[in-house]
Amino acid sequence: MSRKEVFVLRDLLGTNNEVAASIRSELEARGVLGVNLLSSPGSGKTSLLEALADRLKGTFRMAVIEGDIETERDAERIRARGVPAWQITTGGACHLEAKMVGKVLGGVPADIDFLFIENVGNLVCPANYDLGESLRCVLLSAPEGDDKPKKYPRAFLSADCLLLTKSDLIPHVPFDPSKAAAEARAINPRLRVFRLSALSGEGLPEFTAFLTQALEKLRSSHA
Amino acid sequence: MSRKEVFVLRDLLGTNNEVAASIRSELEARGVLGVNLLSSPGSGKTSLLEALADRLKGTFRMAVIEGDIETERDAERIRARGVPAWQITTGGACHLEAKMVGKVLGGVPADIDFLFIENVGNLVCPANYDLGESLRCVLLSAPEGDDKPKKYPRAFLSADCLLLTKSDLIPHVPFDPSKAAAEARAINPRLRVFRLSALSGEGLPEFTAFLTQALEKLRSSHA
């Protein structure tokens, strides 16, 4: 990377971090838990959000900001579950940035409990961009393989939780969830790990309980 | 994107394209078919290369350049099949660039038939970087879902072949290979589509035949 590129990247991240800090303050003041979901394409981010919409319904209110390069598809899937959703199409950019989130935040109802932000499917670049979330979750689906954490370390280093998704496929693929978890924890010992399947429902009660505890903690520390 | 960022990106791609053109000339002069494999993490690029190593053995000579952010793991898997392999670790960068390939090219034996370049697992950024290949293949594995081409169009637009990998998992996941192929062909009508499984061997004879025909064509046009 040339000196010129380093300067441009530093400027970009500097501005991003300032916008992200302001988003986090605003969400926390509202008592909203912001959750940034980050993974490869097709790791099951939208399916997890559909499952969470069904589980939280009637007890908690959620909204979703969807990031994709093109199409409104993911937001349409979320709206079909009765959850308000905003689609950001980056038109080529490989990650969401805080300013993109900031632009749609004004339209998001103030009285929600959870704001989920589904990042562009990419296990590399989104890890560099704080979006103002309070919780960052990286998803790794069973078919992707248990060797990924050390190959893509930054996503695992920067996350609070590791969600081992599509656990229903474990009998059909060479994937050792203990190995994946141990490798990710060697990078980031504070990672909370959940084994999940949006299809079978495995792990959803535990992950939902974790989210609601994080919400309570956020609200008690901002009361 | 600011004017400054646009200028930097244009400079970067300009230089990359010049280096890539020189690599392509060199490979074609040697009679070597360069193949760039591009996909999300965990779509089966390395498994496909292992399967091709076994199929080509004794008839054709291949070498592999592996791109990863960290670890020598993929090159080690390839070497275990008796195929020479070079690992490029980008240390954070989300894609390979032609100059990285150029740096290792001097060590690659001149008398090979195929040079496979496995890009960093990322369905977005690598699509913007010509590596001097003669053939670009994008992989989409069944568990990733058949809705990906329109969400990540550039990878499909820039490729010559679409490899629908992990076809052995189709009975276990919601994936319609005809839908995925039709959507990708709507973006890029010239795409050749192969349905593959490194595990069951489905599609490998057809894809190997396609590669050897492409090699013959390259050699006859440079004879």
Side-chain angles (χ1 to χ4, degrees), chain B residues 105-125:
Chain B
L105 206 58
V108 175
D111 62 347
I112 57 169
D113 302 296
F114 298 103
L115 175 65
F116 294 98
I117 306 170
E118 181 182 339
N119 222 309
V120 175
N122 182 339
L123 196 54
V124 187
C125 316

Side-chain angles (χ1 to χ4, degrees), chain A residues 43-118:
Chain A
S43 298
K45 295 182 291 301
T46 317
S47 298
L48 173 62
L49 290 173
E50 290 173 326
L52 288 175
D54 293 346
R55 284 198 71 86
L56 296 173
K57 192 180 287 180
T59 318
F60 292 97
R61 293 146 302 173
M62 64 184 266
V64 175
I65 295 175
E66 288 287 349
D68 271 298
I69 292 178
E70 296 286 353
T71 85
E72 186 91 6
R73 285 178 178 178
D74 287 353
E76 284 163 2
R77 285 173 60 186
I78 299 300
R79 288 177 198 134
R81 301 288 170 128
V83 167
W86 287 260
Q87 182 78 48
I88 299 172
T89 48
T90 67
C94 53
H95 59 271
L96 288 180
E97 294 181 20
K99 65 184 174 193
M100 302 175 187
V101 174
K103 274 183 194 163
V104 300
L105 206 59
V108 175
D111 63 347
I112 56 169
D113 302 295
F114 298 102
L115 175 64
F116 294 97
I117 306 171
E118 181 181 339

Side-chain angles (χ1 to χ4, degrees), chain B residues 24-68:
Chain B
R24 187 160 27 251
S25 297
E26 184 180 333
L27 288 176
E28 291 183 354
R30 288 192 201 174
V32 175
L33 187 78
V35 184
N36 182 359
L37 299 180
L38 189 158
S39 79
S40 306
S43 297
K45 295 182 291 301
T46 317
S47 298
L48 174 62
L49 290 173
E50 289 174 324
L52 288 174
D54 292 346
R55 284 198 71 86
L56 297 173
K57 191 180 288 180
T59 318
F60 292 97
R61 293 148 301 173
M62 65 183 266
V64 175
I65 295 175
E66 287 288 348
D68 271 298

Side-chain angles (χ1 to χ4, degrees), chain A:
Chain A
M1 196 172 270
S2 72
R3 275 176 64 87
K4 189 165 63 171
E5 290 164 63
V6 170
F7 287 141
V8 169
L9 189 64
R10 206 180 50 188
D11 286 357
L12 286 174
L13 292 177
T15 311
N16 187 76
N17 287 346
E18 289 159 26
V19 178
S22 128
I23 290 173
R24 187 160 27 250
S25 297
E26 184 180 334
L27 289 176
E28 292 184 354
R30 287 193 203 174
V32 175
L33 187 79
V35 184
N36 183 359
L37 298 180
L38 191 158
S39 79
S40 305
S43 298
K45 295 182 291 301
T46 317
S47 298
L48 173 62
L49 290 173
E50 290 173 326
L52 288 175
D54 293 346
R55 284 198 71 86
L56 296 173
K57 192 180 287 180
T59 318
F60 292 97
R61 293 146 302 173
M62 64 184 266
V64 175
I65 295 175
E66 288 287 349
D68 271 298
I69 292 178
E70 296 286 353
T71 85
E72 186 91 6
R73 285 178 178 178
D74 287 353
E76 284 163 2
R77 285 173 60 186
I78 299 300
R79 288 177 198 134
R81 301 288 170 128
V83 167
W86 287 260
Q87 182 78 48
I88 299 172
T89 48
T90 67
C94 53
H95 59 271
L96 288 180
E97 294 181 20
K99 65 184 174 193
M100 302 175 187
V101 174
K103 274 183 194 163
V104 300
L105 206 59
V108 175
D111 63 347
I112 56 169
D113 302 295
F114 298 102
L115 175 64
F116 294 97
I117 306 171
E118 181 181 339
N119 222 308
V120 175
N122 182 338
L123 197 54
V124 188
C125 315
N128 293 318
Y129 292 84
D130 183 359
L131 302 181
E133 71 269 17
S134 295
L135 203 64
R136 182 178 290 194
C137 301
V138 59
L139 286 74
L140 175 64
S141 67
E144 287 174 76
D146 51 33
D147 64 337
K148 296 299 173 288
K150 283 200 179 162
K151 292 174 68 181
Y152 302 86
R154 200 173 164 80
F156 297 88
L157 184 66
S158 71
D160 303 291
C161 323
L162 166 61
L163 311 182
L164 300 174
T165 55
K166 304 196 187 185
S167 66
D168 54 285
L169 288 176
I170 291 177
H172 307 294
V173 294
F175 183 83
D176 179 344
S178 309
K179 196 180 150 201
E183 187 165 308
R185 279 196 176 124
I187 296 167
N188 177 357
R190 74 185 176 86
L191 270 179
R192 288 286 302 265
V193 183
F194 297 88
R195 178 173 152 154
L196 292 176
S197 167
L199 203 67
S200 75
E202 184 187 359
L204 286 174
E206 293 80 2
F207 183 56
T208 310
F210 171 76
L211 289 175
T212 56
Q213 283 159 19
L215 178 66
E216 281 165 26
K217 200 174 152 191
L218 176 139
R219 286 181 175 169
S220 65
S221 68
H222 286 77

Side-chain angles (χ1 to χ4, degrees), chain B residues 1 10 15 17 39-40 45 52 58-59 66-67 80 87 109 133 151 163 177 193 203 211 215:
Chain B
M1 196 173 269
R10 206 179 52 188
T15 311
N17 287 346
S39 79
S40 306
K45 295 182 291 301
L52 288 174
T59 318
E66 287 288 348
Q87 181 77 48
E133 71 269 17
K151 292 173 68 181
L163 311 182
V193 183
L211 288 175
L215 178 67

